[in-house]
Amino acid sequence: MSDHPPQAPALQRQAFDHLLARFDASAGEPPATRWPWLEAAHVLGQTRLGLHWRSHTAMLRYALQLRDESEVLGQLLRLALVPLGHLLQRLPLGNIGRAHVSALSPMATSADTAERINAALRAMRSPDL
């Protein structure tokens, strides 16, 4: 979320839930299509302990479903680091939370991730949705 202004907690949670719902709705699609929903949820939620934890548990469940051993191990490590990162206020903002990227390095938010986050925020602000 490094490229995004801080959001009100309720809006942030609702948009986070929207991203997870979009991930759920993509069941049956290839992993390359599904992972970006979880990555966007991670970037959006990583500044709130509960959302951050939920993003990694969702990633862990998906990695288990895929039987992706390296991703499972990476998610277990990240789940161990989440409370410590929040306690020490040392969060790598913008990091997508996946095992193939450093758990400690901030990242610039990709255009795709930013668009997913912005679309989720817009959807929560729209009275029609």
Side-chain angles (χ1 to χ4, degrees), residues 1-82:
M1 213 166 70
S2 58
D3 296 337
H4 301 281
Q7 303 299 323
L11 178 63
Q12 186 179 13
R13 181 184 43 75
Q14 291 167 349
F16 179 91
D17 290 341
H18 179 80
L19 291 166
L20 290 186
R22 295 295 304 265
F23 168 76
D24 289 342
S26 71
E29 294 181 19
T33 303
R34 298 193 75 203
W35 275 114
W37 294 112
L38 295 176
E39 294 168 359
H42 179 268
V43 171
L44 178 63
Q46 76 180 132
T47 59
R48 305 239 188 263
L49 177 59
L51 299 181
H52 196 183
W53 184 265
R54 285 179 57 204
S55 70
H56 284 296
T57 58
M59 288 181 176
L60 175 59
R61 279 192 306 274
Y62 189 47
L64 286 166
Q65 179 185 345
L66 295 173
R67 293 181 167 84
D68 183 337
E69 208 172 291
S70 64
E71 191 70 43
V72 168
L73 293 173
Q75 292 310 315
L76 290 171
L77 170 65
R78 282 155 179 77
L79 282 165
L81 292 174
V82 164

Side-chain angles (χ1 to χ4, degrees), residues 83-94:
L84 186 60
H86 283 268
L87 180 67
L88 298 175
Q89 297 182 354
R90 303 274 303 177
L91 301 171
L93 296 180

